[in-house]
């Protein structure tokens, strides 16, 4: 167990040395300035500066990072409509992603995210740790936490906030290596989620 933990820590350190900063960033989100995200009505006000990653995950998804995409990713999903996946499908025929539907309940959103991750990232190990009601965007929402092992074999932890507004799904997620990075970035993610509004 110690060997696995040391290997994971060494990998995180290597990633930090190789991928820190805004290497793959193309946008800058400034502290204190409200920002419209994910080409939607979703607006957040960062309490610190963030980098917006280049390369869209989808028309209604946008990714921010502090230390580089391998170390922390905050993804905003802005108004996913019935019949749409959470993000762009890379192989619609071979690996179609699950879709949000009119019948999807708030309590089923964690399962939608899990099945999307499993399909898109070929993840075999995904565990929902906690799910509970919590206000988001001024309405009834859900907060949930999860863990998984990505294709880089590094244990990752995630947290999400989601709400259904006028039949559309709005969600913000944080994904980061479980050791060190998740706990370091989680307060900043929670501040972002708490600031979220719809214009």
């Amino acid at each position: 167990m110690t060997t696995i933990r040391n290997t994971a820590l060494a990998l995180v350190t290597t990633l930090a040395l190789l991928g820190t900063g805004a290497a793959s960033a193309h946008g800058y989100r400034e502290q204190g300035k409200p920002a419209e995200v994910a080409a939607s009505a979703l607006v957040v006000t960062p309490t610190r500066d963030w980098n917006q990653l280049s390369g869209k995950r989808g028309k209604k998804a946008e990714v921010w990072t502090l230390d580089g995409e391998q170390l922390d990713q905050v993804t905003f999903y802005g108004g996913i409509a019935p019949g749409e996946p959470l993000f762009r499908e890379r192989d619609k025929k071979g690996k179609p992603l699950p879709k949000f539907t009119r019948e999807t309940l708030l309590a089923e959103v964690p399962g939608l995210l899990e099945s999307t991750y499993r399909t898109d990232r070929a993840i075999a190990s995904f565990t929902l740790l906690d799910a509970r009601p919590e206000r988001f965007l001024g309405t009834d929402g859900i907060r949930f936490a999860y863990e998984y092992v990505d294709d880089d074999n590094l244990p990752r932890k995630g947290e999400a906030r989601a709400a259904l507004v006028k039949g559309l799904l709005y969600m913000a997620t944080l994904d980061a290596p479980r050791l060190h990075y998740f706990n370091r970035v989680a307060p900043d993610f929670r501040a972002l989620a708490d600031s979220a509004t719809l214009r």
Side-chain angles (χ1 to χ4, degrees), residues 55-197:
K56 282 194 172 182
R57 182 165 282 184
K59 289 181 180 179
K60 297 181 178 180
E62 182 175 312
V63 182
W64 292 11
T65 185
L66 291 174
D67 299 303
E69 62 184 317
Q70 294 299 317
L71 300 178
D72 60 76
Q73 290 186 29
V74 171
T75 305
F76 301 100
Y77 301 90
I80 305 297
E84 294 179 338
L86 293 179
F87 43 80
R88 183 175 53 246
E89 294 177 287
R90 292 183 287 185
D91 184 357
K92 289 184 180 181
K93 291 184 179 179
K95 287 174 40 175
L97 295 178
K99 310 293 192 294
F100 173 67
T101 71
R102 295 185 191 282
E103 293 75 33
T104 301
L105 303 173
L106 198 53
E108 296 172 320
V109 171
L112 174 63
L113 185 68
E114 175 182 352
S115 56
T116 298
Y117 275 25
R118 284 184 181 274
T119 302
D120 185 67
R121 304 179 184 184
I123 291 172
S125 174
F126 187 108
T127 304
L128 181 64
L129 301 174
D130 177 50
R132 61 185 183 274
E134 186 168 302
R135 301 281 289 177
F136 183 56
L137 298 175
T139 189
D140 292 339
I142 188 171
R143 178 179 187 161
F144 58 98
Y146 50 92
E147 287 184 344
Y148 62 94
V149 178
D150 214 336
D151 55 7
D152 57 12
N153 291 318
L154 186 64
R156 297 181 184 272
K157 189 172 180 180
E159 185 172 303
R161 301 269 296 277
L164 302 175
V165 181
K166 296 181 180 179
L168 303 178
L169 171 62
Y170 292 88
M171 182 164 58
T173 63
L174 165 65
D175 294 273
R178 190 176 63 201
L179 292 176
H180 181 64
Y181 281 93
F182 180 84
N183 288 336
R184 195 178 78 160
V185 178
D188 296 304
F189 165 72
R190 291 167 189 152
L192 275 177
D194 288 344
S195 79
T197 60

Side-chain angles (χ1 to χ4, degrees), residues 38-52:
S40 71
L42 184 59
V43 177
V44 297
T45 304
T47 56
R48 62 179 298 177
D49 297 339
W50 288 79
N51 295 303
Q52 179 188 341

